[in-house]
Amino acid sequence: LVGELIKLVCSGFFAAFLWPSDSGSNAGAGAGVRKMVFLIKNSAKMLFLAVVYAAMNMLSFVAIKRIDAGAFTIVAQMKILTTAGFSVLFLGRRLTAQKWRSLVQLVLGVVLVSYGSYQAGHPAADCDALAAAEPLTVAEEAAAAAESDASLSTMVVGYGAVLVEVTLSGCISIYFEKVLKSDDTLKLSVWDRNFQLAFHSIVLYVVVHGMGFGGEDEGEGFFSGWSMVTVMLAFLGAGGGILVALVMKHADSILKTLAVAGAIVVSTVLGFVLLEGPLTTQMVIGAGAVILAIFSYNDTGAAVAPKAEAVEAKDVEAAKDKEPLMGAKEGPVAGGGGAAGDGGAY
């Protein structure tokens, strides 16, 4: 909620006061408060986006309470592939086999890095201690079986929630990109769209908080437990949301997923260097796979094409050079025969 408030203030300042006509908005938009009112009245597209984002956040909470954090991390990386799939389906993009291989490699690399970090922070149980444990009684075994059935159904709900969240993430990313790049009559800028999205997100979060899903303890204030680190994280989250919109506007959603994957690798390395975090062989291999996948996805093979074109051009020039030579050889023969014939007739 605080992050959305920061986004609302920043985007509103840029959209309504600093650059009110930078996006080429129509004359009815105006500036200042008039521009803000105009944006709120024409924000139906971003209302839908805010509702889906709120639903995704709730699904993430449902999933993380029911499945292991490591499993959640692995399944959540599938949003890279869902984003690419929806970009092909809705935007008509054509991805080569090389790009699909790069995206799959990217997913595997991020999984290795993320799950390796999780394993380092959550070591497995001691096998010797488990072997030395006393055997269970019949009643205890029955209770354990019932608990296992309940945990299975809980796990199914958790995996279902994260799969739906991943699918929505890919779909809504493409929807947001299409809205930002659409040539409609409003012609709104990234700052305009961010202001609209932040406004509706704040309304939804206030409603959710009022229904008792805020997450804070009863009797404590909304800002209980906050520190300067929390405030800094709120500002970073707001800035990250604005940067995501800029990337979608000037690049595309798939490149955004590449940037997020690269950020995971960078944060892991910085955690190891600055905070003495874990960095296992598995994580190093995953980081290398992510880096190679990013370069492979952006490699268009342009360095090879000029060589082929140069060879083809040389062949064409050589063929053109041969044609006059052949004609020159045939010309004298034909001319000599004609001269002999004329001489005989004479």
Side-chain angles (χ1 to χ4, degrees):
L1 178 59
V2 175
E4 295 299 331
L5 283 171
I6 296 171
K7 283 173 58 178
L8 181 72
V9 173
C10 294
S11 301
F13 174 74
F14 285 115
F17 296 96
L18 189 60
W19 300 321
S21 60
D22 178 68
S23 62
S25 299
N26 55 37
V33 178
R34 182 182 176 186
K35 174 73 176 287
M36 291 183 179
V37 174
F38 173 84
L39 292 176
I40 294 173
K41 288 182 177 179
N42 296 274
S43 59
K45 293 181 179 180
M46 304 312 288
L47 172 61
F48 171 73
L49 189 66
V51 170
V52 175
Y53 275 144
M56 287 169 54
N57 289 333
M58 296 182 69
L59 286 171
S60 297
F61 283 119
V62 170
I64 203 68
K65 288 182 179 180
R66 288 167 172 79
I67 62 175
D68 187 74
F72 176 84
T73 302
I74 291 175
V75 180
Q77 305 312 319
M78 296 301 295
K79 66 180 63 175
I80 298 174
L81 297 180
T82 58
T83 301
F86 283 115
S87 69
V88 173
L89 183 62
F90 292 149
L91 300 181
R93 288 201 179 100
R94 298 184 61 184
L95 298 179
T96 62
Q98 175 183 339
K99 290 187 180 296
W100 280 112
R101 287 194 302 267
S102 301
L103 292 175
V104 172
Q105 179 181 336
L106 184 72
V107 172
L108 297 178
V110 174
V111 166
L112 287 176
V113 173
S114 302
Y115 192 66
S117 179
Y118 172 79
Q119 281 184 320
H122 299 78
D126 190 358
C127 295
D128 295 335
L130 293 176
E134 296 182 359
L136 299 176
T137 61
V138 176
E140 291 174 341
E141 289 181 355
E147 184 179 354
S148 176
D149 293 338
S151 63
L152 178 61
S153 60
T154 301
M155 184 177 64
V156 170
V157 173
Y159 277 108
V162 70
L163 287 174
V164 173
E165 190 268 338
V166 164
T167 305
L168 287 177
S169 176
C171 181
I172 208 64
S173 295
I174 301 304
Y175 173 81
F176 192 18
E177 178 185 350
K178 192 169 184 178
V179 170
L180 289 173
K181 294 180 177 180
S182 62
D183 295 328
D184 55 7
T185 57
L186 295 178
K187 298 185 181 299
L188 300 181
S189 69
V190 175
W191 302 107
D192 298 333
R193 292 300 188 184
N194 269 309
F195 175 81
Q196 294 173 330
L197 179 59
F199 174 80
H200 290 299
S201 298
I202 289 171
V203 173
L204 290 174
Y205 287 144
V206 168
V207 172
V208 171
H209 178 74
M211 294 173 62
F213 296 101
E216 65 275 359
D217 295 332
E218 184 178 357
E220 297 185 358
F222 178 78
F223 292 99
S224 61
W226 277 60
S227 63
M228 288 303 299
V229 176
T230 312
V231 175
M232 184 173 62
L233 289 176
F235 274 95
L236 289 175
I242 295 174
L243 288 176
V244 166
L246 289 171
V247 170
M248 289 185 178
K249 173 67 175 180
H250 300 290
D252 58 60
S253 300
I254 301 178
L255 291 181
K256 181 210 69 173
T257 62
L258 297 180
V260 171
I264 293 175
V265 173
V266 172
S267 62
T268 301
V269 174
L270 290 178
F272 172 75
V273 174
L274 302 177
L275 304 176
E276 298 182 356
L279 189 64
T280 62
T281 304
Q282 170 185 329
M283 297 169 67
V284 172
I285 295 174
V290 169
I291 295 172
L292 291 176
I294 292 175
F295 279 101
S296 176
Y297 181 87
N298 290 282
D299 181 21
T300 57
V304 180
K307 293 182 179 180
E309 292 176 358
V311 172
E312 184 178 355
K314 289 181 180 179
D315 293 340
V316 173
E317 291 178 359
K320 290 181 178 179
D321 291 340
K322 290 179 180 179
E323 290 177 359
L325 293 176
M326 295 176 63
K329 291 180 180 179
E330 294 174 357
V333 174
D342 293 339
Y346 178 77

